[in-house]
């Protein structure tokens, strides 16, 4: 898996400086557009263009089931993962409505639903296994399965290149995956389950206790309750991750290597980003963070990534919905940067 550590495409500091200079010439007080200005100038450095744009948006939702559901950690049965994949295909989900509004290239990658699914529109069947194993009893996946999931993410980046995508958004769907993400976060941030485990699909107080117990048990079983500097990140992903989380990790790394900007969704997607950055720190400048979700541990994951999300809407749906909501903000930042008049062109006096 040497490809995972290939450096990301280099950031163009010269273009960023030129973009900052342009921002100073636009008909507004300096800094008055706040983060919209820094979004545009950062994108200029990433894309190597004085006037960056984000017209071509690609959204891919990775789906898979989790064996840890055996521990009673979800309010929904595993069959819901496959049912939601069908809902994506029939364009009845929140993300499909949002993707249509953005005119985005939307698709689903089925990496491991418990039940085999029929051929569905916009769904790629790449099932590695009928879900992961229960990581409270054994490793969630084998080394071969982990590599397959990561390569599925890389394949999505290759598809994004072919489609001339300027912005990639990865989503996830998998009953039980907040427990997996919480376990990964606890390991990589060296935190107790009580600090990071949230309600996920909406479990009650007893469900929260079962989730915390499962996370603690898994950390002990796999020797992950130790300083994060002593943890092999990819082995941690193999032991307590999910196929869809690994798919996101591969996609984030490969997109950054290809020079495609990434917009990260909520808690689970941010944990995947944390894993990806720990594996390949060079990708961090390519990651934008869309929103702070209502999941308990998300703020700590964002802090670890030194990430300032664009929105805070109390969302916790996943499936890339929060990221889709933030796309127009980034697009408007680009339009303001490119289309506003300068003081000279408008004949407006500067201060």
């Amino acid at each position: 898996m040497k490809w995972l550590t290939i450096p990301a495409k280099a950031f163009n500091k010269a273009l960023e400086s030129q973009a900052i200079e342009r921002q100073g010439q636009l008909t507004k007080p300096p800094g008055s557009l706040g983060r919209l200005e820094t979004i545009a100038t950062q994108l200029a450095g990433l894309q190597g263009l004085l006037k960056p744009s984000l017209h071509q948006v690609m959204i891919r939702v990775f789906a898979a089931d989790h064996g840890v559901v055996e521990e009673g950690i979800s309010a929904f049965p595993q069959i819901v993962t496959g049912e939601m994949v069908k809902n994506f295909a029939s364009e009845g989900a929140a993300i499909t409505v949002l993707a249509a509004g953005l005119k985005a290239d939307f698709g689903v990658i089925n990496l491991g639903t418990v039940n085999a699914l029929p051929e569905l529109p916009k769904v790629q069947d790449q099932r590695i296994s009928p879900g992961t194993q229960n990581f409270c009893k054994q490793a969630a996946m084998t080394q071969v399965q982990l590599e397959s999931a990561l390569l599925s993410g890389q394949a999505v980046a290759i598809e994004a290149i072919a489609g001339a995508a300027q912005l990639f958004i990865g989503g996830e769907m998998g009953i039980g995956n907040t427990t997996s993400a919480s376990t990964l976060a606890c390991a990589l941030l060296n935190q107790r389950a009580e600090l990071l485990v949230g309600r996920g699909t909406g479990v009650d107080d007893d469900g929260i206790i079962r989730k915390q117990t499962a996370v603690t048990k898994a950390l002990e079983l796999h020797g992950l309750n130790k300083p994060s500097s002593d943890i092999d990140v990819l082995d941690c992903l193999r032991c307590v991750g999910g196929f869809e989380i690994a798919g996101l990790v591969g996609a984030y790394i490969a997109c950054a290597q290809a020079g495609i900007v990434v917009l990260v969704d909520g808690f689970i997607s941010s944990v995947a980003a944390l894993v990806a950055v720990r594996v390949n720190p060079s990708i961090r400048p390519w990651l934008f963070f869309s929103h702070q979700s209502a999941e308990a541990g998300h703020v700590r994951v964002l802090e670890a990534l030194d990430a300032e999300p664009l929105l805070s809407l109390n969302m916790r749906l996943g499936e890339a919905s929060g990221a889709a909501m933030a796309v127009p903000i980034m697009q408007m930042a680009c339009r303001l940067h490119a289309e506003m008049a300068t003081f000279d062109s408008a004949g407006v006096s500067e201060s």
Side-chain angles (χ1 to χ4, degrees):
M1 293 190 289
K2 292 182 179 179
W3 69 271
L4 290 168
T5 56
I6 296 172
K9 185 177 179 180
F11 186 86
N12 192 323
K13 290 291 293 183
L15 258 297
E16 182 191 40
S17 297
Q18 292 177 36
I20 292 171
E21 183 179 352
R22 174 176 171 77
Q23 279 288 331
Q25 298 169 351
L26 300 180
T27 50
K28 58 178 176 58
S32 59
L33 287 176
R35 291 185 64 198
L36 295 173
E37 297 183 14
T38 55
I39 289 169
T41 56
Q42 184 178 347
L43 286 171
L46 291 169
Q47 293 185 349
L49 297 170
L50 179 59
K51 297 179 180 180
S53 64
L54 295 174
H55 300 305
Q56 302 296 323
V57 180
M58 178 192 222
I59 302 173
R60 290 292 181 271
V61 176
F62 294 87
D65 277 306
H66 294 255
V68 72
V69 168
E70 293 177 1
E71 303 296 315
I73 48 80
S74 176
F76 289 88
Q78 280 189 311
I79 194 172
V80 169
T81 304
E83 291 173 344
M84 280 301 299
V85 171
K86 294 177 183 178
N87 194 28
F88 295 143
S90 61
E91 302 184 358
I95 185 53
T96 53
V97 172
L98 293 167
L102 295 171
K103 296 181 172 57
D105 174 3
F106 176 81
V108 180
I109 315 295
N110 179 10
L111 292 182
T113 54
V114 165
N115 300 311
L117 300 176
E119 186 173 336
L120 297 166
K122 298 185 179 180
V123 177
Q124 298 180 35
D125 185 3
Q126 298 181 19
R127 287 172 81 228
I128 297 167
S129 176
T132 54
Q133 298 299 312
N134 182 352
F135 58 63
C136 288
K137 299 178 179 177
Q138 63 187 92
M141 59 189 100
T142 66
Q143 184 66 22
V144 171
Q145 289 173 334
L146 172 62
E147 292 179 11
S148 295
L150 291 165
L151 286 171
S152 293
Q154 183 190 49
V156 165
I158 293 170
E159 189 180 354
I161 296 168
Q166 297 166 304
L167 181 68
F168 171 76
I169 297 173
E172 40 65 36
M173 178 63 216
I175 297 301
N177 62 7
T178 54
T179 301
S180 178
S182 296
T183 310
L184 284 166
C186 285
L188 297 179
L189 302 181
N190 194 25
Q191 297 285 347
R192 302 190 316 276
E194 292 79 7
L195 297 176
L196 296 182
V197 172
R199 295 194 181 275
T201 52
V203 295
D204 58 17
D205 291 344
D206 289 339
I208 284 281
I209 293 172
R210 287 193 295 272
K211 288 181 72 171
Q212 292 172 350
T213 300
V215 170
T216 301
K217 184 176 180 180
L219 293 172
E220 293 174 353
L221 176 66
H222 302 289
L224 298 173
N225 49 355
K226 58 187 177 183
S228 57
S229 58
D230 295 335
I231 290 175
D232 182 315
V233 179
L234 287 175
D235 197 57
C236 179
L237 180 60
R238 180 185 68 83
C239 287
V240 299
F243 296 143
E244 80 279 37
I245 296 173
L248 285 170
V249 171
Y252 291 158
I253 291 174
C255 281
Q257 291 168 337
I260 299 171
V261 177
V262 172
L263 181 58
V264 179
D265 191 35
F267 174 60
I268 296 161
S269 297
S270 295
V271 171
L274 179 64
V275 173
V277 170
R278 293 285 177 90
V279 171
N280 189 337
S282 73
I283 73 167
R284 177 61 187 85
W286 291 89
L287 307 182
F288 287 78
F289 292 81
S290 59
H291 75 117
Q292 182 177 315
S293 82
E295 270 299 301
H298 195 198
V299 64
R300 292 178 183 269
V301 175
L302 291 171
E303 288 172 353
L305 286 160
D306 192 24
E308 186 177 359
L310 298 174
L311 300 169
S312 181
L313 299 173
N314 208 33
M315 296 176 69
R316 56 180 179 85
L317 176 60
E319 67 187 43
S321 56
M325 292 294 296
V327 171
I329 293 174
M330 297 183 70
Q331 291 175 329
M332 286 299 103
C334 292
R335 290 197 63 175
L336 288 165
H337 179 78
E339 299 176 23
M340 280 184 68
T342 64
F343 284 103
D344 283 345
S345 67
V348 176
S349 298
E350 297 187 59
S351 60

